[in-house]
Amino acid sequence: MEDLSIYFTPVSSAEFKSQGDQIRTLGDITEFNNDGGMPDLDGVKIAIIGVNEFRGVADGGQYNSALTSFRSYLYKLSAHTTSLRLVDLGDINPGNSIDDTYHAVSSSIESLMKAGIIPLVIGGSQDLTYAHYRAYEKMEQTINLVSIDPRFDLGDVEGPLHSESYLGKIVLHQPNFLFNFSNIAYQSYFVDNSVKELMDGLHFESYRLGEVRANIQQSEPIVRNADMISFDLASIRMSDAPAAIGASPHGFYGEEACSLARYAGMSDKLSSIGFYNLIDRNDNGQTAHLLAQLVWFFIDGYLGRKKDFPIGSKDGYTKYRVGISNGDHEIIFLKSPASGRWWMEVPYPPDERLRLARHAMVPCNYSDYEQAMKDEMPDLWIKTYLKLG
């Protein structure tokens, strides 16, 4: 593995350890990059990366990070296990240029993923998602990206990269390794109709905030289908997360955001996640505290992984075949005996077997099966089939 110590500023770990007979905390089970040097990463499952970079903020504002406050809350939370190897690599501070920071973020994420470690990035502005994505390019892996965000962040693709244009840069980047993009919780008054039409024309998926909040559990398969998640803290309402760049009166309640973080942790497919747009603002630590709980729920979800993504043998899965009268395909559904979760099989060209096989098994809800039983082709099946073809 690349020597990651060249990118990181160590953090002091002494203050994060519990004292006396208190509950065992995340601070107790975390290994830190501190004055003693970079911890051994062999057997590590999750690595926390702080990034103190805000030069890519779209509004041009000058911001400071709240990473210290975030850690002070995170490492006081209880640890439900002693077997999980969790490390905190410290902070990537701004390079001489913003491209230097992007390189450090990309290289660090790539090295960790190659070692089978999930990078958990605490940003920094959301343009870092672009550097995050490029780690997969270096691995030549075609991915599904999910953004939990009140906006689409397509921006002006001809202009400079910033926190509200990163998605446009990803979509147009060559070589392109983006198979699918899904937005969760966009807010219509922040989105131009032409941009929404462009998203639909690309067969990307987008879900309005009200639609998701009406039944938060319906978003679990969307999150389960992600290889990478970019979580904009501005998707949480200002009353719950006031120290987020772009915070507004509407958004998720804290507990709803924590449900999404837990779904992300539970996903066998997810290999990295970033939480972005946390800033140092006088909110009595409220936003940093909520972010600490989001990370706690992600870890809790990870501990509950069932390892039942049906990419290999499907023996033991309950299989349902549904014929659609006005279509050329039957739809095959699989239900996991371990978790009760559902998937749909979508056919794809045989010459693309190795590259696209993992994208042809699409997480879905029981409601998709019910729709097929009504002789209706689920939209998710159609969009995936069009992309695979």
Side-chain angles (χ1 to χ4, degrees):
M1 178 187 288
E2 180 182 5
D3 179 11
L4 299 181
S5 63
I6 61 175
Y7 300 126
F8 290 92
T9 299
V11 294
S12 173
S13 59
E15 61 186 291
F16 302 137
K17 304 294 183 182
S18 62
Q19 304 294 324
D21 296 325
Q22 299 178 29
I23 62 171
R24 182 174 292 276
T25 65
L26 286 179
D28 293 328
I29 69 166
T30 300
E31 300 170 56
F32 293 86
N33 174 19
N34 53 31
D35 294 337
M38 183 72 71
D40 178 13
L41 297 182
D42 186 39
V44 169
K45 301 301 182 184
I46 299 173
I48 292 173
I49 298 173
V51 189
N52 184 17
E53 175 64 83
F54 292 96
R55 285 176 288 184
V57 177
D59 64 14
Q62 302 294 312
Y63 298 105
N64 295 314
S65 74
L67 293 171
T68 300
S69 180
F70 158 73
R71 287 187 172 97
S72 71
Y73 287 109
L74 176 67
Y75 294 123
K76 292 175 184 175
L77 301 179
S78 65
H80 290 172
T81 181
T82 58
S83 60
L84 176 68
R85 287 210 59 205
L86 176 69
V87 300
D88 187 327
L89 297 182
D91 298 335
I92 296 175
N93 287 315
N96 291 330
S97 71
I98 196 168
D99 287 336
D100 292 334
T101 309
Y102 292 155
H103 173 76
V105 170
S106 231
S107 295
S108 300
I109 292 174
E110 177 196 4
S111 293
L112 291 168
M113 290 194 298
K114 283 182 175 178
I117 300 170
I118 297 175
L120 196 160
V121 183
I122 306 296
S125 48
Q126 204 178 10
D127 53 295
L128 293 166
T129 302
Y130 179 72
H132 187 162
Y133 162 79
R134 292 203 62 183
Y136 290 92
E137 176 192 0
K138 295 178 181 180
M139 299 170 66
E140 298 187 351
Q141 180 179 333
T142 304
I143 68 163
N144 291 336
L145 165 61
V146 168
S147 176
I148 301 170
D149 197 320
R151 300 169 176 83
F152 290 149
D153 294 328
L154 280 166
D156 177 8
V157 296
E158 301 298 330
L161 169 65
H162 56 68
S163 59
E164 293 182 11
S165 69
Y166 73 87
L167 178 59
K169 299 295 185 181
I170 289 174
V171 170
L172 292 181
H173 183 76
Q174 293 296 328
N176 192 285
F177 290 92
L178 181 66
F179 177 76
N180 187 49
F181 171 78
S182 300
N183 169 279
I184 295 177
Y186 78 91
Q187 298 177 33
S188 297
Y189 33 78
F190 292 143
V191 175
D192 187 89
N193 284 338
S194 63
V195 176
K196 179 63 170 65
E197 290 170 0
L198 175 61
M199 293 283 289
D200 293 340
L202 293 170
H203 308 304
F204 289 161
E205 299 155 25
S206 53
Y207 304 87
R208 286 178 51 249
L209 172 66
E211 178 185 3
V212 178
R213 290 197 61 230
N215 187 349
I216 198 74
Q217 292 180 346
Q218 291 292 312
S219 63
E220 185 275 330
I222 309 166
V223 173
R224 191 181 355 139
N225 199 28
D227 297 282
M228 166 189 165
I229 290 178
S230 176
F231 200 126
D232 184 349
L233 294 179
S235 64
I236 303 170
R237 61 182 55 211
M238 184 184 292
S239 59
D240 284 14
I245 300 173
S248 74
H250 293 105
F252 289 118
Y253 284 104
E255 57 266 40
E256 294 168 334
C258 286
S259 292
L260 293 173
R262 188 170 186 274
Y263 294 152
M266 290 171 58
S267 171
D268 298 316
K269 190 176 183 181
L270 187 82
S271 52
S272 68
I273 186 170
F275 296 89
Y276 297 106
N277 284 340
L278 172 69
I279 58 176
D280 185 14
R281 179 175 286 165
N282 186 19
D283 68 341
N284 295 317
Q286 179 177 329
T287 310
H289 197 170
L290 176 57
L291 176 54
Q293 293 184 9
L294 289 171
V295 171
W296 187 94
F297 274 95
F298 177 84
I299 294 170
D300 186 61
Y302 176 85
L303 293 172
R305 286 191 172 189
K306 303 297 185 183
K307 300 188 184 339
D308 62 351
F309 183 78
I311 192 62
S313 171
K314 300 173 183 62
D315 293 343
Y317 288 79
T318 304
K319 182 178 287 189
Y320 301 85
R321 296 179 179 270
V322 182
I324 304 295
S325 61
N326 62 348
D328 296 327
H329 301 280
E330 67 173 359
I331 305 179
I332 299 175
F333 291 89
L334 295 174
K335 182 180 179 182
S336 165
S339 65
R341 297 183 296 188
W342 290 71
W343 284 264
M344 286 188 294
E345 284 188 3
V346 180
Y348 55 96
D351 59 329
E352 299 283 359
R353 182 168 301 277
L354 293 178
R355 187 172 70 90
L356 298 180
R358 57 196 298 276
H359 299 297
M361 191 61 63
V362 185
C364 65
N365 281 301
Y366 174 68
S367 59
D368 292 296
Y369 171 71
E370 290 183 307
Q371 183 179 1
M373 289 296 291
K374 295 176 182 177
D375 204 30
E376 299 174 4
M377 189 73 79
D379 289 342
L380 181 59
W381 191 99
I382 295 172
K383 288 183 176 182
T384 305
Y385 181 75
L386 291 172
K387 286 194 286 282
L388 286 168

